[in-house]
Amino acid sequence: MRDEATFGVKVGLAEMLSGGVIMDVVDAEQARIAEEAGACAVMALERVPSDIRRDGGVARMSDPEMIRGIQQAVTIPVMAKARIGHFVEAQVLESLEVDFIDESEVLTPADEAHHIDKWAFKIPFVCGATNLGEALRRIGEGAVMIRSKGEAGTGDIVEAVRHMRSIRGEIKRLTRLDDAELATAAKELQSPLDLVREVASTGKLPVPLFSAGGIATPADAALMMQLGAEAVFVGSGIFKSSDPERRARAVVEATTHFQDPDRIAKASEGLGPAMMSLETSKLPADQVFATRGW
Ligand SMILES: O=C(CO)[C@H](O)[C@H](O)COP(=O)(O)O
């Protein structure tokens, strides 16, 4: 059931991560590296997205034992992923007392029509979106953090840019509409009218907007921040690179100082090869994660 007071508290928890880097980790050792590099949170998952992409098959919630090991290894918040629509995986993650659940398109969707009713949980949720309508539908279901989806596991930033520009551009457009036009916009966006009106009057989402999917370099992270992301998620870009410890620190530095090209340049020096990348435009349609969910 919708509870505005709890919603406000959860949004506050999400805002505490603003300006930071949330790093995907698959074990306690990587979690320690992430924390030492300055990550504001870690995302516990069995395989980073590029490995999920390489291996194929059904990708599911991680083993609770692995999640507990990561929780014990770090003091920063620990997130974990549930499949789209898999509310029992979310119940399990809530019982493990992770700090955030990511209802993620990176895992294989469990339900083709329904996302999780996030109001039914005490724990805050983050969800991905490719456009404003998708973001507002997730918020309407109770998500308290939106991340632009990008195309996880490719190392190609182009989709993250497309999704961030789309969300921010659509928000700007709403601010110029009158009441009658907003009602039509809500219909076109397939989004709740009250949320559309709120976005039009404030010029922003009612929850933090972060960016994920395809960030592989310090400059990529700074690019997404300059385009309006309030924080970034980085997975494959760090732990599939040649020197994860250095790259993790460099991505944190560039995210913190995203408007300072000198610091981004310094952070980018001598990091060694980035992850093996894939051009998103050449992916077959059935290998695109961002179109999962609606
Ligand atoms: O799924 C995620 C967020 O929910 C990942 O953290 C993020 O998308 C990682 O993508 P990449 O491996 O391309 O950095």
Side-chain angles (χ1 to χ4, degrees):
M1 193 177 54
R2 191 176 176 119
D3 171 351
E4 291 302 333
T6 312
F7 184 74
V9 172
K10 290 177 181 172
V11 169
L13 290 170
E15 281 168 348
M16 287 169 68
L17 304 178
S18 283
V21 181
I22 299 139
M23 296 184 195
D24 285 358
V25 297
V26 302
D27 56 33
E29 179 51 24
Q30 287 189 354
R32 276 190 280 269
I33 291 172
E35 182 168 36
E36 275 162 29
C40 64
V42 289
M43 173 78 72
L45 77 173
E46 225 159 53
R47 293 169 286 164
V48 292
S50 64
D51 287 341
I52 291 175
R53 196 175 277 293
R54 184 200 59 206
D55 297 347
V58 175
R60 310 178 176 91
M61 178 191 79
S62 301
D63 182 337
E65 190 180 8
M66 179 273 248
I67 295 172
R68 276 204 205 91
I70 289 172
Q71 287 172 309
Q72 282 157 13
V74 294
T75 60
I76 53 179
V78 175
M79 303 185 177
K81 289 185 194 300
R83 281 178 268 178
I84 290 174
H86 205 316
F87 52 87
V88 175
E89 285 189 348
Q91 290 165 3
V92 171
L93 294 175
E94 182 163 72
S95 89
L96 292 173
E97 298 185 343
V98 301
D99 297 283
F100 269 84
I101 295 175
D102 183 3
E103 187 183 18
S104 181
E105 70 284 354
V106 167
L107 304 185
T108 311
D111 190 320
E112 290 175 341
H114 307 94
H115 282 252
I116 296 169
D117 170 20
K118 292 161 273 290
W119 295 108
F121 291 80
K122 292 197 182 75
I123 189 167
F125 277 74
V126 51
C127 288
T130 57
N131 57 50
L132 181 60
E134 196 176 5
L136 295 180
R137 288 193 291 280
R138 297 295 83 76
I139 296 166
E141 295 158 2
V144 295
M145 179 196 293
I146 294 295
R147 53 176 174 75
S148 53
K149 283 180 178 172
E151 191 54 41
T154 60
D156 186 353
I157 197 65
V158 69
E159 294 302 305
V161 170
R162 184 205 309 279
H163 300 157
M164 183 57 65
R165 283 198 184 276
S166 169
I167 294 169
R168 302 259 302 164
E170 288 176 296
I171 290 174
K172 264 189 222 152
R173 186 179 79 84
L174 289 188
T175 64
R176 295 191 290 266
L177 303 186
D178 65 25
D179 282 348
E181 289 167 333
L182 286 175
T184 304
K187 196 174 83 181
E188 287 162 0
L189 289 167
Q190 297 181 275
S191 302
L193 178 56
D194 59 333
L195 287 177
V196 169
R197 284 200 183 114
E198 184 178 345
V199 169
S201 78
T202 61
K204 60 188 193 58
L205 294 181
V207 306
L209 173 59
F210 292 3
S211 175
I215 295 171
T217 68
D220 286 348
L223 173 67
M224 296 317 301
M225 295 295 284
Q226 289 198 28
L227 286 173
E230 293 164 71
V232 294
F233 288 78
V234 188
S236 325
I238 291 175
F239 286 102
K240 302 307 282 184
S241 74
S242 57
D243 188 344
E245 293 182 25
R246 283 194 68 183
R247 192 166 287 262
R249 281 197 300 274
V251 170
V252 171
E253 170 80 1
T255 303
T256 308
H257 302 287
F258 67 93
Q259 283 171 316
D260 185 339
D262 293 341
R263 289 186 85 141
I264 300 166
K266 186 97 188 97
S268 307
E269 272 172 24
L271 296 180
M275 66 177 281
M276 289 271 291
S277 303
L278 292 168
E279 253 184 278
T280 308
S281 59
K282 305 222 166 95
L283 289 179
D286 64 350
Q287 286 173 31
V288 174
F289 293 162
T291 48
R292 295 167 168 181
W294 63 279

